[in-house]
Amino acid sequence: MQSTTSVNAASSFKGNALAAFSFLLWGLMPLYYHFLPNANINELLAFRILFSVPFMVLVFVLMGRKLPSLSQLRADKRSVLLCGLASLIMCVSWYSFTWAITHGQVLAASLGFFINPLFAIALGVLFLGDKLTAAQKMAVVLGTCGISYMVYSYGELPWLALSMGSFFALYGLCKKFIRFDSLTSVTVEALLLMPFAAIYLLWLWSSDQSVAISAALSGETSVLLLYIGSAPVTLMPLVFFALAIRATSLSMIGLMQYIEPSLQFLLAVLLFNEHFDQVKAVSFALIWTGLLLCSLEALPALKHMRHMRHKFRATRHPH
């Protein structure tokens, strides 16, 4: 019994560390895209899709895993179709996110990921039959109030944040119905879009409209490398997250996911000097309050995990 407990605790600790590291990488991502101000987002998305495939192949090789075979994909055509749908949904979310952080809107990106759990809760109720707890109901109400106050004050919807949050939640919902493991599904998603990305990049090159290739031909190879690097930079945290989710609890994942938008918020205000006015302060405060209530509700799960960790340490260092 002690041996099993030790293994479970060790696995949980490893999962927590991997999850925290993945959210840390996601949170620091604006620092990378800060070197691509006013980037051509269409071309950047195409490069990201095209070079995702060789990167994922490398991940499979390094992990000693076999790549998904054609027979495996044919055996579950429904999951392949859902991977196609998930890839299109992710494109919208990623496009919005990348546009935001390359056009001085890191605060909008932060807001998008802060409100993402609220969209995820709503989708869970609508499509998965989830029941809301009291804290989740309050979080939805407060989040709605925060967005409504911003709309009332600015006279327009925060489209970037809403598109990021909603489409990322839709992506998560879609993944619930895909029977492939996380790494396989990410690879299939990239494979399905790769031909379209390649054709688009060839068209840009042939019509002399490619920003990255033109820069490289002019001697600025760093721009091309940054465009290509968008694939591993965005996929590395996803790989760590895929490994983490198998070894830790969803409650811990839910709590740690706020590392990402919190870092982006700090970068936007402290490093990029984005304007943080009273309207944003009130809206963020309402959303943060709701998320704090959900986090406090998950504390019993954290206490259980701490108890398991103490047991693990006791078995390693018996008195």
Side-chain angles (χ1 to χ4, degrees):
M1 179 66 71
Q2 283 188 338
S3 176
T4 304
T5 302
S6 302
V7 171
N8 290 339
S11 176
S12 177
F13 180 78
K14 178 184 176 183
N16 294 342
L18 287 170
F21 186 61
S22 69
F23 288 121
L24 178 67
L25 291 177
W26 266 316
L28 295 175
M29 205 173 291
L31 293 175
Y32 180 88
Y33 288 102
H34 190 60
F35 294 101
L36 288 170
N38 302 310
N40 183 325
I41 306 301
N42 293 326
E43 185 177 5
L44 192 58
L45 176 61
F47 266 100
R48 187 248 186 201
I49 292 169
L50 183 65
F51 284 92
S52 290
V53 176
F55 176 76
M56 290 307 299
V57 170
L58 179 63
V59 169
F60 272 88
V61 171
L62 292 176
M63 293 181 64
R65 289 183 49 179
K66 289 185 178 180
L67 287 165
S69 63
L70 281 176
S71 59
Q72 179 186 352
L73 300 181
R74 286 173 182 164
D76 195 348
K77 294 177 182 176
R78 179 174 175 271
S79 289
V80 172
L81 289 173
L82 285 171
C83 281
L85 177 61
S87 64
L88 293 175
I89 292 171
M90 176 51 80
C91 280
V92 178
S93 180
W94 189 86
Y95 188 99
S96 304
F97 171 71
T98 311
W99 193 95
I101 61 178
T102 55
H103 289 75
Q105 297 287 326
V106 179
L107 268 178
S110 172
L111 177 62
F113 287 112
F114 272 124
I115 62 177
N116 165 253
L118 305 180
F119 281 110
I121 289 170
L123 291 176
V125 172
L126 291 173
F127 296 100
L128 302 176
D130 293 348
K131 301 297 182 183
L132 293 185
T133 63
Q136 287 173 334
K137 289 177 182 177
M138 185 57 68
V140 171
V141 170
L142 290 171
T144 304
C145 290
I147 298 298
S148 300
Y149 180 71
M150 196 176 289
V151 172
Y152 173 76
S153 301
Y154 292 148
E156 60 182 10
L157 284 167
W159 289 111
L160 275 175
L162 290 173
S163 61
M164 271 185 288
S166 59
F167 276 89
F168 195 70
L170 283 169
Y171 178 75
L173 176 67
C174 194
K175 298 282 271 188
K176 288 277 188 183
F177 299 98
I178 296 174
R179 288 187 282 264
F180 301 138
D181 65 83
S182 298
L183 295 182
T184 298
S185 66
V186 169
T187 306
V188 173
E189 288 165 27
L191 274 169
L192 292 173
L193 290 182
M194 185 178 70
F196 301 100
I199 291 170
Y200 179 70
L201 288 174
L202 283 172
W203 176 76
L204 284 179
W205 174 71
S206 63
S207 59
D208 199 27
Q209 297 183 58
S210 171
V211 173
I213 295 175
S214 297
L217 293 175
S218 302
E220 296 182 37
T221 54
S222 60
V223 176
L224 177 61
L225 292 175
L226 284 168
Y227 271 69
I228 293 172
S230 64
V233 162
T234 54
L235 286 174
M236 270 196 299
L238 194 61
V239 170
F240 285 115
F241 179 79
L243 296 173
I245 205 165
R246 290 174 171 271
T248 189
S249 67
L250 288 177
S251 60
M252 277 302 297
I253 291 287
L255 290 176
M256 285 192 289
Q257 74 178 33
Y258 302 120
I259 293 173
E260 175 191 356
S262 298
L263 282 173
Q264 291 168 0
F265 175 83
L266 292 173
L267 287 174
V269 176
L270 301 178
L271 185 62
F272 303 141
N273 298 315
E274 289 190 26
H275 183 54
F276 187 65
D277 56 21
Q278 182 182 355
V279 174
K280 289 189 179 76
V282 172
S283 298
F284 270 83
L286 288 168
I287 293 166
W288 286 335
T289 302
L291 298 177
L292 178 62
L293 291 174
C294 289
S295 300
L296 291 174
E297 191 178 53
L299 283 178
L302 292 181
K303 289 178 181 177
H304 175 70
M305 292 190 69
R306 282 196 293 267
H307 178 65
M308 296 293 286
R309 195 168 297 139
H310 289 321
K311 278 191 172 183
F312 169 63
R313 288 171 182 166
T315 56
R316 290 191 65 183
H317 307 287
H319 295 293

